[in-house]
Amino acid sequence: MNTAIRSNYKKGFVPFGIAALLVSLIGGFTAVLGPAFVADIGIDYSNTTWISLALAMSTAACAPILGKLGDILGRRTTLLLGILVFTAGNALTAVATSLAFMLAARFIVGIGTAAISPVVMAYIVTEYPPEETGKGFAVYMLISSGAVVIGPTCGGLIMNAAGWRAMMWVCVALCAAVFLICMFTIKKTAFQKKKMTDFDRAGSVLVLIFFSLFLCIPSFGQNIGWSSVQFIAVASVAAVSLICLVFVERKAGSPVFNGQFMARKAFILPVIILFLTQGLMQANMTNVIVFVRYTQPDNVIISSFAISIMYIGMSLGSVIIGPMADKKEPRTVLTFSLLLTGVGCGIMYFFTAESSVAIFAAALGILGVGLGGNATIFMKVALSGLSSEAAGSGTGTYGLFRDISAPFGVAVFVPLFTNGVTSRMTEAVAGGASEGAATLLAAVSSIKTLTVIELGCIVAGIAAVRMLPRIHENN
């Protein structure tokens, strides 16, 4: 189908784009929520980990389930329901009075997010012409990254002026406004709802259990202990649920995980590369901040703009590099964007205790450009050839792997750096160095080791890219 036939696809995307903007903007607003909440109710700062985890668990684990539901109920209905759940979760967050209440509220917010995001991606896959999907995903990434840039600042200003609860009620008001916009602007189509008997209930429950626990494993191991009863219990239940999931999905007539769609190089390889590289997005942002705190404790500038500089780079990468894959072979463009990612990481090798803000900004900014280009093209490649009947489940499945890649990257690379600093400090002090000198030496040495390992991951990612199938057969 050519562009002329789908003449209204850009106009039709507007309400879906607004819904994506809502999720990203509120995500940015609430980046400052965890510390404010735990301080307000007087509990330990470490509990912010569980608040973030509750949201990540439902966002990732529910994505394929609600994507599949979208194939049954239709995009309009699923999107509106998702916004309603998202609104309810934010309202509950605003009135939370205990950690358990907050965790439940953030989990509900994640369910709403998991309903909205696959619908937006499914629209691009099914309504944009194939030669324009790269641009469509670039716009989606620009909306997502751009909103995260301004969100923390806006949220912080509101919170400082009126408190975190007032900030959450502003989020609820935004949700209500977007719900009305989508309800009146998304036209009802001739979509025929399928029977809920086609819905894979058993598979959905097992997906929710396994991937929720899968995300818990690193946090339980690092915060409670790898040999603790809690960690062993979580890991054991996760393993059993995975075995059951494989068995159930083989028997299901319409599984949540579309095996035929997933068993393609165009899906498997981008997912592998996601885990090899995209986790660097949050990990290096955190590691650069920690490095500065070790070496320049009085330098507060990097902490304030680290998030913004990374996401500005991602926004640029998504709109400059991403659309290139509509004309040039995606694996060629991906190789270029991964090389940029490598340059951003490589700059970290030259960090010293006296490094200026400029070199930190260069590392994060260039890394962000590469990651923004990667993320846009991964979506185009992984979701290529997806039928309209399976668009929801396919985009939801991809969304799941995308959403868990970053937390796992953080779980691997942040402890790798911080634990390396601790062990090297101990060695340096034992060798006669003062504590201050040992800290500087350990931080610089650990960031160099981290850089070498990350560059190895990027080389492996480029090797995987070169094995991707061709998308443009005429090139």
Side-chain angles (χ1 to χ4, degrees):
M1 187 176 288
N2 58 39
T3 308
I5 295 175
R6 296 173 172 175
S7 57
N8 293 321
Y9 65 93
K10 291 182 180 178
K11 181 179 179 181
F13 179 71
V14 171
F16 293 92
I18 292 174
L21 177 64
L22 173 73
V23 171
S24 300
L25 185 61
I26 291 182
F29 269 49
T30 54
V32 296
L33 172 66
F37 172 76
V38 299
D40 186 34
I41 66 171
I43 60 176
D44 192 81
Y45 178 77
S46 63
N47 287 289
T48 57
T49 298
W50 308 117
I51 295 173
S52 299
L53 184 60
L55 178 65
M57 284 168 59
S58 55
T59 299
C62 292
I65 301 169
L66 296 173
K68 182 71 173 178
L69 189 65
D71 292 333
I72 294 175
L73 299 180
R75 278 198 296 264
R76 183 178 187 273
T77 299
T78 305
L79 182 68
L80 293 177
L81 287 174
I83 296 174
L84 281 176
V85 174
F86 190 72
T87 305
N90 282 292
L92 290 171
T93 299
V95 298
T97 55
S98 67
L99 180 61
F101 195 143
M102 177 61 78
L103 295 180
R106 302 314 290 165
F107 192 89
I108 293 171
V109 170
I111 294 174
T113 303
I116 296 168
S117 298
V119 170
V120 176
M121 289 192 289
Y123 181 93
I124 297 171
V125 169
T126 58
E127 301 300 324
Y128 272 66
E131 66 273 15
E132 295 284 330
T133 55
K135 291 181 181 178
F137 285 126
V139 171
Y140 174 59
M141 282 296 301
L142 177 62
I143 290 171
S144 300
S145 303
V148 175
V149 171
I150 64 173
T153 301
C154 294
L157 291 173
I158 297 171
M159 189 178 70
N160 288 336
W164 68 268
R165 294 188 190 275
M167 178 189 71
M168 291 311 306
W169 286 118
V170 171
C171 292
V172 172
L174 290 172
C175 291
V178 170
F179 177 82
L180 293 174
I181 291 171
C182 291
M183 184 171 66
F184 289 111
T185 57
I186 300 177
K187 296 179 180 179
K188 295 182 179 180
T189 65
F191 176 83
Q192 185 175 359
K193 293 182 180 179
K194 301 178 179 65
K195 295 179 180 179
M196 284 300 292
T197 52
D198 296 329
F199 190 69
D200 180 14
R201 292 179 175 84
S204 297
V205 171
L206 290 168
V207 164
L208 180 60
I209 293 173
F210 171 69
F211 284 102
S212 294
L213 296 180
F214 183 67
L215 275 175
C216 288
I217 288 173
S219 294
F220 273 60
Q222 293 182 73
N223 291 286
I224 301 176
W226 298 102
S227 60
S228 66
V229 173
Q230 295 93 326
F231 171 77
I232 294 172
V234 166
S236 299
V237 175
V240 171
S241 62
L242 176 60
I243 294 170
C244 293
L245 177 61
V246 172
F247 178 78
V248 167
E249 294 300 83
R250 285 179 176 176
K251 301 288 186 180
S254 181
V256 169
F257 280 153
N258 187 324
Q260 186 176 2
F261 166 68
M262 294 174 62
R264 302 175 303 133
K265 289 173 64 176
F267 184 88
I268 294 171
L269 289 175
V271 167
I272 291 173
I273 304 165
L274 270 173
F275 277 84
L276 285 171
T277 61
Q278 296 302 96
L280 302 176
M281 179 184 71
Q282 293 182 17
N284 276 355
M285 183 172 63
T286 302
N287 283 333
V288 168
I289 292 172
V290 174
F291 177 82
V292 174
R293 288 178 179 174
Y294 276 129
T295 59
Q296 303 175 31
D298 295 329
N299 183 353
V300 298
I301 298 176
I302 188 67
S303 297
S304 63
F305 74 42
I307 295 175
S308 294
I309 198 71
M310 175 76 82
Y311 280 97
I312 288 171
M314 288 187 67
S315 299
L316 292 173
S318 66
V319 297
I320 296 173
I321 299 176
M324 293 170 60
D326 286 334
K327 304 297 181 183
K328 298 182 180 295
E329 189 58 41
R331 63 186 182 187
T332 301
V333 185
L334 268 174
T335 301
F336 172 70
S337 61
L338 281 170
L339 286 172
L340 278 180
T341 304
V343 171
C345 289
I347 291 174
M348 292 169 53
Y349 191 84
F350 300 98
F351 286 0
T352 68
E354 297 81 28
S355 289
S356 67
V357 169
I359 192 171
F360 299 136
L364 292 173
I366 296 173
L367 177 62
V369 172
L371 291 171
N374 295 347
T376 303
I377 303 169
F378 286 152
M379 286 188 282
K380 179 180 178 67
V381 175
L383 300 175
S384 62
L386 189 60
S387 67
S388 58
E389 292 79 13
S393 61
T395 54
T397 299
Y398 177 76
L400 182 153
F401 289 106
R402 179 195 62 185
D403 292 339
I404 65 176
S405 64
F408 261 77
V410 172
V412 172
F413 287 125
V414 172
L416 180 68
F417 173 62
T418 55
N419 292 341
V421 172
T422 301
S423 63
R424 286 176 169 83
M425 280 180 60
T426 303
E427 293 174 1
V429 170
S434 66
E435 185 174 342
T439 300
L440 297 180
L441 289 171
V444 173
S445 175
S446 295
I447 205 74
K448 291 181 183 295
T449 300
L450 176 72
T451 300
V452 172
I453 294 172
E454 289 181 347
L455 289 175
C457 291
I458 292 170
V459 169
I462 291 175
V465 163
R466 303 314 299 172
M467 294 187 284
L468 284 171
R470 294 180 64 86
I471 299 297
H472 303 309
E473 296 298 334
N474 59 336
N475 286 353

